[in-house]
Amino acid sequence: MDINSLITHYGYAALILGSLAEGETVTLLGGIAAHQGLLSLPLTIISVALGGMIGDQLLYLAGRRYGETILQRFPRYRGKITRARRLINRHPWLFVVGSRFMYGFRIVGPILIGASRLPPKIFLPLNIIGALVWATLFTLLGYMGGEIITPWLHMFDKHMKLLFWLGLAIAAVWLVRLWLKRRTHRHTDENGSEDSSDKNG
């Protein structure tokens, strides 16, 4: 199913649900769909921002309740976690808004913020602002790159079945080779055991 079919069937709901977890990929695809005239650009930005905001809000709440337990599972990152907490306490707006654009902090960032006990009245407005900035930036990137990306997506969709069957054939060949290799090793081990028994006898 290509992007046209996804948007036709699920529309803005697909963008909201997709941006809860997937993030940039769904946002870029939403911008491409808006470029194709399938969606309204402002509503696309709002939908993606809403999904991203809800996702981070849920992670923040999980961090407030279970954050310490979760963070204790990563003792080797204790130094980075401590530095991040200092940044959260000194410049909460910078971390809350910026964590969306920091590699590796897309999911752990809101959990860390929640565990740092940043008050909800501070996190919520910053989360909304960050979601709007993030959604606007990546949706516009998809929108402006639509002319370049859209033909590639259509070509990818056209050859998707071919790629699927090619991958399946490669996997089958690999499995057969693995099975033959194990069978050969097993046969060699059995012969070696028989030889040892004959010598001992």
Side-chain angles (χ1 to χ4, degrees):
M1 185 177 288
D2 61 11
I3 182 63
N4 294 2
S5 301
L6 284 172
I7 298 303
T8 300
H9 284 85
Y10 304 107
Y12 300 104
L15 295 178
I16 294 173
L17 292 175
S19 58
L20 281 170
E22 180 60 29
E24 287 77 12
T25 303
V26 172
T27 309
L28 289 169
L29 291 177
I32 294 169
H35 177 269
Q36 293 176 334
L38 298 171
L39 295 176
S40 161
L41 180 60
L43 289 178
T44 298
I45 293 173
I46 292 171
S47 298
V48 169
L50 180 61
M53 187 272 293
I54 292 173
D56 279 19
Q57 195 69 34
L58 292 174
L59 290 170
Y60 164 79
L61 294 174
R64 283 181 66 85
R65 187 175 182 111
Y66 307 108
E68 292 300 332
T69 303
I70 295 172
L71 295 176
Q72 285 175 4
R73 297 176 179 271
F74 304 96
R76 30 178 208 170
Y77 296 108
R78 194 175 303 278
K80 291 183 178 180
I81 291 172
T82 302
R83 288 194 294 273
R85 280 181 161 170
R86 286 185 193 141
L87 182 59
I88 292 169
N89 293 327
R90 292 177 184 172
H91 308 287
W93 63 271
L94 181 63
F95 194 90
V96 174
V97 175
S99 63
R100 294 177 180 276
F101 303 93
M102 296 164 61
Y103 179 77
F105 275 86
R106 183 69 181 87
I107 294 177
V108 75
I111 294 175
L112 184 57
I113 294 168
S116 299
R117 315 308 295 178
L118 184 72
K121 65 180 181 180
I122 295 178
F123 178 77
L124 180 59
L126 291 176
N127 185 26
I128 294 172
I129 293 171
L132 286 171
V133 172
W134 169 78
T136 301
L137 176 62
F138 282 96
T139 301
L140 288 177
L141 282 174
Y143 186 86
M144 291 185 293
E147 291 187 7
I148 300 172
I149 299 173
T150 300
W152 180 84
L153 285 175
H154 284 303
M155 183 177 65
F156 179 77
D157 182 67
K158 182 189 289 186
H159 298 292
M160 180 80 82
K161 292 181 180 178
L162 177 61
L163 291 172
F164 171 78
W165 288 112
L166 179 61
L168 194 62
I170 292 172
V173 171
W174 181 78
L175 288 172
V176 169
R177 290 185 62 183
L178 183 63
W179 177 74
L180 289 173
K181 187 176 180 180
R182 288 185 176 178
R183 186 178 178 186
T184 302
H185 280 310
R186 190 181 306 156
H187 185 66
T188 303
D189 291 342
E190 288 175 356
N191 288 339
S193 299
E194 290 176 3
D195 292 341
S196 298
S197 298
D198 291 342
K199 288 179 182 179
N200 292 332

